[in-house]
Amino acid sequence: VAVLAPEATELEVRRLVEGVRLRGFEASVYDVGPGVILLPSVSPEDLDELIGGHRAIERVFIPDTRYCLVRREVEPSGTAVRIGDVVVDEGGFAVVAGPCAVESREQLLATATGVQSAGASILRGGAFKPRTSPYNFQGLGMRGLELLAEARSRTGLPVVSEIMDPHLIEPMYRLVDAFQVGARNMQNFDLLRALGDADKPVIVKRAPSATVEEWLLAAEYILAGGNERVVLCERGIRTFNNTTRYTLDLASVALVKRETHLPVLVDPSHATGDPVLVAPCSLAALALGADGIMVEVHDDPRLALSDGQQSLTIEAFAQLMDSLRRLAPATGRRIASPLHTLSA
Amino acid sequence: VAVLAPEATELEVRRLVEGVRLRGFEASVYDVGPGVILLPSVSPEDLDELIGGHRAIERVFIPDTRYCLVRREVEPSGTAVRIGDVVVDEGGFAVVAGPCAVESREQLLATATGVQSAGASILRGGAFKPRTSPYNFQGLGMRGLELLAEARSRTGLPVVSEIMDPHLIEPMYRLVDAFQVGARNMQNFDLLRALGDADKPVIVKRAPSATVEEWLLAAEYILAGGNERVVLCERGIRTFNNTTRYTLDLASVALVKRETHLPVLVDPSHATGDPVLVAPCSLAALALGADGIMVEVHDDPRLALSDGQQSLTIEAFAQLMDSLRRLAPATGRRIASPLHTLSA
Amino acid sequence: VAVLAPEATELEVRRLVEGVRLRGFEASVYDVGPGVILLPSVSPEDLDELIGGHRAIERVFIPDTRYCLVRREVEPSGTAVRIGDVVVDEGGFAVVAGPCAVESREQLLATATGVQSAGASILRGGAFKPRTSPYNFQGLGMRGLELLAEARSRTGLPVVSEIMDPHLIEPMYRLVDAFQVGARNMQNFDLLRALGDADKPVIVKRAPSATVEEWLLAAEYILAGGNERVVLCERGIRTFNNTTRYTLDLASVALVKRETHLPVLVDPSHATGDPVLVAPCSLAALALGADGIMVEVHDDPRLALSDGQQSLTIEAFAQLMDSLRRLAPATGRRIASPLHTLSA
Amino acid sequence: VAVLAPEATELEVRRLVEGVRLRGFEASVYDVGPGVILLPSVSPEDLDELIGGHRAIERVFIPDTRYCLVRREVEPSGTAVRIGDVVVDEGGFAVVAGPCAVESREQLLATATGVQSAGASILRGGAFKPRTSPYNFQGLGMRGLELLAEARSRTGLPVVSEIMDPHLIEPMYRLVDAFQVGARNMQNFDLLRALGDADKPVIVKRAPSATVEEWLLAAEYILAGGNERVVLCERGIRTFNNTTRYTLDLASVALVKRETHLPVLVDPSHATGDPVLVAPCSLAALALGADGIMVEVHDDPRLALSDGQQSLTIEAFAQLMDSLRRLAPATGRRIASPLHTLSA
């Protein structure tokens, strides 16, 4: 059972909650949207008597799902998550682009300036790489993050990078504008709890075998921890179909957009593993109502140390941006860009 | 090994084929696109000597797939399939709409005139229904087809209906403008062979467990039988995700568009089982490059005898058509309509 | 709602049904087990008044599933299906063995005598082959069935072969002892209905994307048509795991054994596509409680025209039979064999 | 490229490796089986010249897979992993049993003595529980581990518990006899690397969407870190079939037994989510050639705080042990038990 409080004062909310507790019920307050109170032990019948009509309460709803704080009813108009100077929300369309892995200063800066010129909203790049085989390139680590920060100041683009372990929150904090939870860590609950404490946006990728409920519950962990700046990202689920690397589940994106107030991105690069499919799937994501895409771009995909075969060249990315810009007005959106763009 | 012949005369082709056979090789001629010769037993080395430079030959390619006649190389600009007066091709966007099952004269005519007014291209309706349970409504049979023919003359829309058995080709022939092979019959090879002989377009739905290769090979059966008027239709694959009824595999549609010259439709109604997801998925299909959609519409979904819960109302369908018309110009397409529309 | 009648006379049952109908309810009688009456329109409350205490009624149960006649409650001790002289039931363990496709007289007779010597219960062989590609070997057709009948009289083993079209029931009738419905035709409802009329056992393979419910409903079609001699066969479902050809779903076999009174076989050859995995999976099927296996054996797998790579050699099959015979006593079963075996 | 060294002295191996490196090639030594040298950069042609015939080398093989150290060729007769006093290997059959979560002293001790009396080999119990929802019971933490250690000294059974974070290795070390890596952490590579350094056996559960290759590569991470005491455990994969909770992939267990020298367990409790299916699937696992099972047992499943609906009662577990003991001799195995069992 969840309750929404409006512009109520902190004092009013505290008194209301204490009143509920005095009568023997649990009540927890969360800073989501305007503020939410979860009342897990109150029956629907008692609810009205306990808090009905109280001026600190705007709306009451009884969720029929295991997730509460991420539900659309909490923020019916959708949450806007600001990553650096870029707002990810339902009016814009955020294009997160960059190499799968940061490999060298040259590679990163060439790619970063390339995607920035083409109109990307946010720069992505992996420093700590989760790799299926212990013998593969595992990323540049902190050195990679420092290169990302350099690319940020060079291009003005905010930076996103994957985090795999709670102890990295602190060293990564000043170097990135958003943490990414990778598909393999979507149910690393220690990590999710730690990010709930962090003062930084988090992009939560869907695990390839996660149901929609499991994905939303992963986000719920972070919101329940106090951090509501969460963005979801669909990147393909694992099915019998191996013509594409994973199966991009766009219908679930449309469904999730109704279930939650959080922004939802689509990653066609990992989902399809095929650069030729990235553009049509990106356009489909825009028309469907997704809030952005995350795509892999490499200045020379043939030399990539990780996932090169699925990366776009900078030229192909620029063409994709053109197509997105052509389609966007018909969907009522505009490509998101930093609020204060750098002057050349 | 497949070879494409241009405006070569029939005599030239016959002589060429006879020449190949005289030297001990197999050769079969198919009326696909401008005409194709399959030379299964000729090695790439012999190919040039046998037919290279012959004036009846335009292009030669060596397929690395088990399907040949459906491959894009046969008709690089894409095949246009005419269903009644409507052309399904890459310039247009065909909207096939109507009830899952024909239930009564009133229901069908109300729905048919409703979708026609809203701008549908083609009318669909099931007369012979494949039903999972023997105790469910199995369709009106021939009576349903006669009602469809009546709806066709009333609305001017061509009519599509599912065929489940080869012996129904003949009685259905004059009543429908295209046969639909349902997902459960995609590998009913006797049926596919019989439709290869029929002089009527065929819409081949993808089975929910079919790989892309199996789907294209089902179409190949029909082309190999001599009928090249085939349209493919994706309707969701079966995966672990049961938040939607099936998982709509749009990335495979983008991939199949590159693999084959045949038009490809998307059926978001069966794929999602949820009328609220039909519109976003339809718009995504248009942006992605699909050649049309197939959606279920019922004049009163609550009363439907089959799949009512996934049908659009006529009002919701009209709104979808508005959205499609708004988006279409930005994709370089226009909604397909009968060449000679009826005057009121 | 289903009702079980015991040794009631036909007259008593007829009168009971007429009485129910006179009061305005539907009632259908099925010859399943001792006999079943379906009363779809009677509410649980009326049930007792209508038929409660009638001496023609042994038990009443209210199914919570869409399938009724196949349910375990109808025949709690399990149905024994006789195929030729071999009884497939819960005391025995039927080993159905033979080539994927009948290719020639030599191949079939060598394989048939080989599997018979090793102790197989039933001979299998495909004459009409459903093939994914139109260019693959499609089977010997009626000639293949005649060879199977010859192998039957030579070895004394009953014969099973796949049927793909209702019009083949009649010509196949005298040549085979059981019809097999292949995985691709599990929802070919015209075929299922026709087999419901046939006086011959039917083996229903599970489609690779079929849920347990859909599989049992396919069997329900045949029982509802009047033929209760149905055997189920699991042959692997389609999943993301492509290390084996399909994923053998043994847990569902254990579950189905509780849901239905029909015997259930396991086909590890199609499920795994790997001859080395056939023996361990066969032993697992025996220990799990399956009623038999169906395995592919070829006298020379390297030369097979269809699925050779998954066939056992006759030697490997004989070793498997040895292992099964060693394990069977500990499971309370014995390998099934023809009641009247031929004398050499 | 991997090479096996036999009873070679450390000095010989060191000199051999230095020799290889002097000629400009990479070489790493691993303590797996008798010892393995990986030579990733040496071509097959150079291999013989570099190390061929050297007396420190027993065998050479060139893997065609991404995993090397886990491959069967390294230890053709299979690795025996000792957990406490219990040997998990191909001669025995290890039964790991206990509650999903440690809930209280009473619950744990009642269950532990129950499974010990019935003949279990090893005790399992979760202290840190990964839970899909942030609002579910998250386990007793260190207090749960202390209760497990108490149960161990009471019953003489070694103890297994799940680890979710590298920093828990140290505090858990003296309290458990083996670490379990849960399905959700199978690709938590930081955790795998840390366990590669630990001097304690590790049970690696297969993630529900993991391919066989990904599962074996997770084990490879631990072996590459220097810890070769790894046991694998299949617990069901995620497929469209939701009649059972997951799909138990027994055929892959048979396949993995051929691919790797590591022992492989089967967890039918998580795989099926249905206590009635646990016994048949356990017997199937034994017949198939698995090296043991892991099952959930609760002294009162109706009161369980986690996964109660899938737990066996102690009585049902005792019956399962009887069935396993009856079947085991026919498979050439005996139920594993602590080498020094406690006297009553």
Side-chain angles (χ1 to χ4, degrees), chain A residues 175-231:
Chain A
L175 298 170
V176 302
D177 300 289
F179 294 116
Q180 178 182 313
V181 175
R184 290 184 186 84
N185 280 301
M186 193 201 82
Q187 293 197 314
N188 183 336
F189 300 116
D190 285 340
L191 179 60
L192 297 177
R193 266 187 291 260
L195 290 168
D197 257 346
D199 176 26
K200 185 77 82 183
V202 182
I203 298 178
V204 178
K205 287 201 146 184
R206 180 182 184 184
S209 69
T211 61
V212 164
E213 186 192 50
E214 290 167 347
W215 186 23
L216 290 175
L217 281 168
E220 183 89 7
Y221 263 92
I222 302 175
L223 271 72
N227 183 355
E228 63 162 331
R229 297 161 69 193
V230 173
V231 175

Coordinates of all heavy atoms in Angstrom, one line a residue, chain A residues 175-231:
Chain A
L175 N 34.3 10.9 -11.6 CA 34.7 10.7 -13.0 C 33.6 10.5 -13.9 O 33.7 10.6 -15.1 CB 35.8 9.6 -13.1 CG 37.1 9.8 -12.3 CD1 37.9 8.6 -12.2 CD2 37.9 11.0 -12.9
V176 N 32.4 10.0 -13.4 CA 31.3 9.7 -14.3 C 30.1 10.5 -13.8 O 30.0 10.9 -12.7 CB 30.9 8.2 -14.3 CG1 32.1 7.4 -14.7 CG2 30.4 7.7 -13.0
D177 N 29.1 10.7 -14.8 CA 27.9 11.4 -14.5 C 26.7 10.5 -14.2 O 25.7 10.9 -13.8 CB 27.5 12.3 -15.7 CG 28.7 13.3 -15.9 OD1 28.8 14.2 -15.0 OD2 29.4 13.2 -16.8
A178 N 26.9 9.2 -14.6 CA 25.9 8.2 -14.3 C 26.6 6.8 -14.2 O 27.5 6.6 -15.0 CB 24.8 8.2 -15.3
F179 N 26.1 6.0 -13.3 CA 26.6 4.6 -13.2 C 25.7 3.8 -14.1 O 24.5 4.0 -14.1 CB 26.5 4.1 -11.7 CG 27.4 4.8 -10.8 CD1 26.9 5.6 -9.7 CD2 28.8 4.7 -10.9 CE1 27.7 6.2 -8.8 CE2 29.7 5.3 -10.0 CZ 29.1 6.1 -8.9
Q180 N 26.3 2.8 -14.7 CA 25.5 1.8 -15.4 C 25.6 0.5 -14.7 O 26.7 0.0 -14.4 CB 26.0 1.7 -16.9 CG 25.3 0.6 -17.7 CD 25.9 0.5 -19.1 OE1 26.1 1.5 -19.8 NE2 26.1 -0.7 -19.5
V181 N 24.5 -0.1 -14.4 CA 24.5 -1.5 -13.9 C 24.3 -2.4 -15.1 O 23.2 -2.3 -15.8 CB 23.3 -1.7 -12.9 CG1 23.3 -3.2 -12.5 CG2 23.5 -0.8 -11.7
G182 N 25.3 -3.3 -15.4 CA 25.2 -4.1 -16.6 C 24.2 -5.2 -16.4 O 23.8 -5.6 -15.3
A183 N 23.9 -5.9 -17.6 CA 22.9 -6.9 -17.6 C 23.3 -8.0 -16.6 O 22.4 -8.6 -15.9 CB 22.8 -7.5 -19.0
R184 N 24.6 -8.4 -16.5 CA 25.0 -9.5 -15.7 C 24.9 -9.2 -14.2 O 24.9 -10.0 -13.3 CB 26.4 -9.9 -16.0 CG 26.6 -10.5 -17.3 CD 28.1 -10.9 -17.4 NE 28.4 -11.4 -18.8 CZ 28.6 -10.6 -19.8 NH1 28.6 -9.3 -19.7 NH2 28.9 -11.2 -21.0
N185 N 24.8 -7.9 -13.8 CA 24.7 -7.5 -12.4 C 23.4 -7.0 -12.0 O 23.2 -6.4 -11.0 CB 25.8 -6.4 -12.2 CG 27.1 -7.0 -12.0 OD1 27.3 -7.8 -11.1 ND2 28.1 -6.6 -12.8
M186 N 22.4 -7.2 -12.9 CA 21.0 -6.6 -12.6 C 20.5 -7.1 -11.3 O 19.7 -6.5 -10.6 CB 20.1 -6.9 -13.7 CG 18.8 -6.1 -13.6 SD 17.4 -6.8 -14.6 CE 16.8 -8.1 -13.4
Q187 N 20.9 -8.4 -10.9 CA 20.4 -8.9 -9.6 C 21.6 -9.1 -8.6 O 21.6 -9.9 -7.8 CB 19.7 -10.2 -9.8 CG 18.4 -10.0 -10.6 CD 17.4 -11.1 -10.5 OE1 17.8 -12.3 -10.7 NE2 16.1 -10.8 -10.2
N188 N 22.6 -8.2 -8.8 CA 23.6 -8.1 -7.8 C 23.1 -7.1 -6.7 O 23.3 -5.9 -6.8 CB 24.9 -7.6 -8.4 CG 26.1 -7.5 -7.5 OD1 25.9 -7.4 -6.2 ND2 27.3 -7.5 -8.0
F189 N 22.4 -7.7 -5.7 CA 21.6 -6.9 -4.8 C 22.5 -6.0 -3.9 O 22.0 -4.9 -3.5 CB 20.6 -7.8 -4.1 CG 19.7 -8.5 -5.0 CD1 19.7 -9.9 -5.0 CD2 18.8 -7.8 -5.8 CE1 18.8 -10.6 -5.9 CE2 17.9 -8.5 -6.6 CZ 17.9 -9.9 -6.7
D190 N 23.6 -6.5 -3.6 CA 24.5 -5.7 -2.8 C 24.9 -4.4 -3.5 O 24.9 -3.3 -3.0 CB 25.8 -6.4 -2.4 CG 25.6 -7.5 -1.3 OD1 24.6 -7.3 -0.6 OD2 26.4 -8.4 -1.2
L191 N 25.1 -4.5 -4.8 CA 25.5 -3.4 -5.7 C 24.3 -2.5 -5.8 O 24.4 -1.2 -5.6 CB 25.9 -3.9 -7.0 CG 26.3 -2.8 -8.1 CD1 27.4 -2.0 -7.6 CD2 26.6 -3.5 -9.4
L192 N 23.1 -3.0 -6.0 CA 21.9 -2.2 -6.1 C 21.6 -1.4 -4.8 O 21.3 -0.2 -4.8 CB 20.6 -3.1 -6.4 CG 20.7 -3.8 -7.7 CD1 19.4 -4.7 -7.9 CD2 20.8 -2.9 -8.9
R193 N 21.8 -2.1 -3.7 CA 21.6 -1.4 -2.4 C 22.6 -0.2 -2.2 O 22.2 0.9 -1.8 CB 21.7 -2.4 -1.2 CG 20.4 -2.9 -0.8 CD 20.5 -3.8 0.5 NE 21.2 -5.0 0.2 CZ 20.7 -6.2 0.0 NH1 19.4 -6.3 0.1 NH2 21.4 -7.3 -0.3
A194 N 23.8 -0.5 -2.6 CA 24.9 0.6 -2.5 C 24.5 1.7 -3.4 O 24.7 2.9 -3.0 CB 26.2 0.0 -2.8
L195 N 24.0 1.5 -4.6 CA 23.7 2.6 -5.5 C 22.4 3.3 -5.0 O 22.2 4.5 -5.4 CB 23.4 2.0 -6.9 CG 24.7 1.5 -7.6 CD1 24.4 0.7 -8.8 CD2 25.7 2.7 -7.9
G196 N 21.6 2.7 -4.2 CA 20.5 3.4 -3.6 C 20.9 4.5 -2.7 O 20.2 5.4 -2.4
D197 N 22.1 4.3 -2.2 CA 22.7 5.3 -1.3 C 23.5 6.4 -2.0 O 23.9 7.4 -1.4 CB 23.7 4.6 -0.4 CG 23.1 4.4 1.0 OD1 22.1 5.0 1.3 OD2 23.7 3.6 1.8
A198 N 23.7 6.2 -3.3 CA 24.6 7.1 -4.0 C 23.8 8.3 -4.6 O 22.7 8.2 -4.9 CB 25.3 6.4 -5.2
D199 N 24.5 9.4 -4.7 CA 23.9 10.6 -5.2 C 24.3 10.8 -6.6 O 25.1 11.7 -7.0 CB 24.4 11.8 -4.3 CG 23.8 13.1 -4.8 OD1 22.8 13.1 -5.4 OD2 24.5 14.1 -4.5
K200 N 23.8 10.0 -7.5 CA 24.2 9.9 -8.9 C 23.2 9.1 -9.6 O 22.8 8.1 -9.1 CB 25.6 9.2 -8.9 CG 26.3 9.2 -10.2 CD 27.0 10.5 -10.6 CE 28.3 10.7 -9.9 NZ 28.9 12.1 -10.3
P201 N 22.9 9.5 -10.9 CA 21.9 8.7 -11.6 C 22.5 7.3 -11.9 O 23.7 7.1 -12.0 CB 21.7 9.4 -12.9 CG 22.2 10.8 -12.7 CD 23.3 10.7 -11.6
V202 N 21.6 6.3 -12.1 CA 21.9 4.9 -12.4 C 21.1 4.4 -13.6 O 19.9 4.6 -13.6 CB 21.6 4.0 -11.2 CG1 22.1 2.6 -11.5 CG2 22.3 4.5 -9.9
I203 N 21.8 3.8 -14.6 CA 21.1 3.2 -15.7 C 21.1 1.7 -15.4 O 22.2 1.1 -15.3 CB 21.8 3.5 -17.0 CG1 21.8 5.0 -17.3 CG2 21.2 2.8 -18.2 CD1 22.5 5.5 -18.6
V204 N 19.9 1.1 -15.3 CA 19.8 -0.3 -15.0 C 19.4 -1.1 -16.2 O 18.3 -1.0 -16.8 CB 18.7 -0.5 -13.9 CG1 18.6 -2.0 -13.6 CG2 19.1 0.2 -12.6
K205 N 20.4 -1.9 -16.7 CA 20.1 -2.7 -17.9 C 19.3 -3.9 -17.5 O 19.6 -4.5 -16.4 CB 21.4 -3.1 -18.6 CG 22.1 -1.9 -19.3 CD 23.1 -2.4 -20.3 CE 23.1 -1.4 -21.5 NZ 24.0 -1.9 -22.6
R206 N 18.5 -4.4 -18.4 CA 17.7 -5.6 -18.1 C 18.6 -6.8 -18.4 O 19.3 -6.9 -19.4 CB 16.5 -5.6 -19.1 CG 15.6 -6.8 -18.9 CD 14.5 -6.8 -20.0 NE 13.6 -7.9 -19.8 CZ 12.6 -8.1 -20.7 NH1 12.4 -7.3 -21.7 NH2 11.7 -9.1 -20.4
A207 N 18.6 -7.7 -17.4 CA 19.3 -9.0 -17.6 C 18.7 -9.8 -18.8 O 17.4 -9.7 -19.0 CB 19.3 -9.8 -16.4
P208 N 19.4 -10.5 -19.5 CA 18.9 -11.2 -20.7 C 17.8 -12.3 -20.3 O 17.1 -12.7 -21.2 CB 20.1 -11.8 -21.4 CG 21.2 -11.8 -20.5 CD 20.9 -10.7 -19.5
S209 N 17.8 -12.7 -19.1 CA 16.7 -13.6 -18.7 C 15.7 -13.0 -17.7 O 15.0 -13.8 -17.1 CB 17.4 -14.9 -18.1 OG 17.9 -14.6 -16.9
A210 N 15.7 -11.7 -17.6 CA 14.9 -11.1 -16.6 C 13.5 -10.9 -17.1 O 13.3 -10.4 -18.2 CB 15.5 -9.8 -16.1
T211 N 12.5 -11.2 -16.3 CA 11.1 -10.8 -16.6 C 11.0 -9.3 -16.4 O 11.9 -8.7 -15.7 CB 10.1 -11.5 -15.6 OG1 10.4 -11.1 -14.3 CG2 10.2 -13.0 -15.8
V212 N 9.9 -8.8 -16.8 CA 9.7 -7.3 -16.6 C 9.6 -7.1 -15.1 O 10.2 -6.1 -14.6 CB 8.4 -6.9 -17.3 CG1 7.9 -5.6 -16.8 CG2 8.6 -6.9 -18.8
E213 N 9.0 -8.0 -14.4 CA 8.8 -7.7 -12.9 C 10.2 -7.7 -12.2 O 10.5 -6.9 -11.4 CB 8.0 -8.9 -12.3 CG 7.7 -8.6 -10.9 CD 7.1 -9.8 -10.2 OE1 7.6 -10.9 -10.3 OE2 6.1 -9.6 -9.5
E214 N 11.1 -8.7 -12.6 CA 12.4 -8.7 -12.0 C 13.2 -7.5 -12.3 O 14.0 -7.0 -11.5 CB 13.2 -10.0 -12.5 CG 12.6 -11.2 -11.9 CD 13.1 -12.5 -12.6 OE1 13.8 -12.3 -13.7 OE2 12.9 -13.6 -12.1
W215 N 13.1 -7.0 -13.5 CA 13.8 -5.8 -13.9 C 13.3 -4.6 -13.1 O 14.1 -3.8 -12.6 CB 13.5 -5.6 -15.4 CG 14.2 -4.5 -16.2 CD1 15.4 -3.9 -15.9 CD2 13.8 -3.9 -17.4 NE1 15.7 -2.9 -16.8 CE2 14.7 -2.9 -17.8 CE3 12.7 -4.1 -18.3 CZ2 14.6 -2.2 -19.0 CZ3 12.6 -3.4 -19.4 CH2 13.5 -2.4 -19.8
L216 N 12.0 -4.4 -13.0 CA 11.4 -3.3 -12.2 C 11.8 -3.4 -10.7 O 12.0 -2.4 -10.1 CB 9.9 -3.2 -12.4 CG 9.5 -2.7 -13.9 CD1 8.0 -2.8 -14.0 CD2 10.0 -1.3 -14.1
L217 N 11.9 -4.7 -10.2 CA 12.2 -4.8 -8.8 C 13.7 -4.5 -8.6 O 14.1 -4.0 -7.5 CB 11.9 -6.3 -8.4 CG 10.5 -6.5 -8.1 CD1 10.2 -8.0 -7.9 CD2 10.0 -5.8 -6.8
A218 N 14.5 -4.7 -9.6 CA 15.9 -4.2 -9.5 C 16.0 -2.7 -9.3 O 16.7 -2.2 -8.5 CB 16.7 -4.7 -10.7
A219 N 15.2 -2.0 -10.1 CA 15.1 -0.5 -10.0 C 14.5 -0.2 -8.6 O 14.9 0.8 -8.0 CB 14.3 0.1 -11.1
E220 N 13.5 -1.0 -8.2 CA 12.9 -0.7 -6.9 C 13.9 -0.8 -5.7 O 13.8 0.0 -4.8 CB 11.8 -1.8 -6.6 CG 11.0 -1.6 -5.4 CD 9.7 -0.7 -5.5 OE1 9.4 -0.3 -6.7 OE2 9.1 -0.4 -4.5
Y221 N 14.9 -1.7 -5.8 CA 15.9 -1.7 -4.8 C 16.6 -0.4 -4.7 O 16.9 0.1 -3.6 CB 17.0 -2.7 -5.2 CG 16.9 -4.1 -4.6 CD1 16.2 -5.1 -5.2 CD2 17.5 -4.4 -3.3 CE1 16.1 -6.4 -4.6 CE2 17.4 -5.6 -2.7 CZ 16.7 -6.6 -3.3 OH 16.6 -7.9 -2.8
I222 N 16.9 0.3 -5.8 CA 17.6 1.5 -5.8 C 16.7 2.6 -5.2 O 17.1 3.4 -4.4 CB 18.2 1.9 -7.2 CG1 19.1 0.8 -7.7 CG2 18.9 3.2 -7.2 CD1 19.6 0.9 -9.1
L223 N 15.5 2.7 -5.7 CA 14.6 3.7 -5.2 C 14.3 3.5 -3.7 O 14.2 4.5 -2.9 CB 13.2 3.7 -6.0 CG 13.2 4.6 -7.2 CD1 14.0 4.0 -8.3 CD2 11.8 4.9 -7.7
A224 N 14.2 2.2 -3.3 CA 13.9 2.0 -1.9 C 15.1 2.4 -1.0 O 15.0 2.7 0.2 CB 13.6 0.5 -1.6
G225 N 16.3 2.5 -1.6 CA 17.5 2.9 -0.9 C 17.5 4.4 -0.9 O 18.4 5.0 -0.2
G226 N 16.7 5.1 -1.6 CA 16.7 6.6 -1.5 C 17.1 7.3 -2.8 O 17.1 8.5 -2.8
N227 N 17.5 6.6 -3.8 CA 18.0 7.2 -5.0 C 16.9 7.0 -6.1 O 16.7 5.9 -6.5 CB 19.3 6.6 -5.4 CG 19.9 7.3 -6.7 OD1 19.3 8.2 -7.3 ND2 21.1 6.9 -7.1
E228 N 16.3 8.1 -6.5 CA 15.2 7.9 -7.5 C 15.6 8.3 -8.9 O 14.8 8.3 -9.8 CB 14.0 8.7 -7.1 CG 14.2 10.2 -7.1 CD 12.9 11.0 -7.1 OE1 11.9 10.6 -7.7 OE2 12.9 12.1 -6.6
R229 N 16.9 8.6 -9.1 CA 17.4 9.0 -10.4 C 17.8 7.7 -11.2 O 19.0 7.5 -11.4 CB 18.5 10.0 -10.3 CG 18.0 11.3 -9.6 CD 19.1 12.1 -9.1 NE 20.0 12.7 -10.1 CZ 21.2 13.2 -9.9 NH1 21.7 13.3 -8.7 NH2 21.8 13.7 -10.9
V230 N 16.8 6.9 -11.6 CA 17.1 5.7 -12.2 C 16.5 5.7 -13.6 O 15.4 6.2 -13.9 CB 16.4 4.5 -11.4 CG1 16.5 3.2 -12.2 CG2 17.1 4.4 -10.0
V231 N 17.3 5.2 -14.6 CA 16.9 5.0 -16.0 C 17.0 3.6 -16.3 O 18.0 2.9 -15.9 CB 17.8 5.9 -16.9 CG1 17.4 5.6 -18.4 CG2 17.7 7.3 -16.6

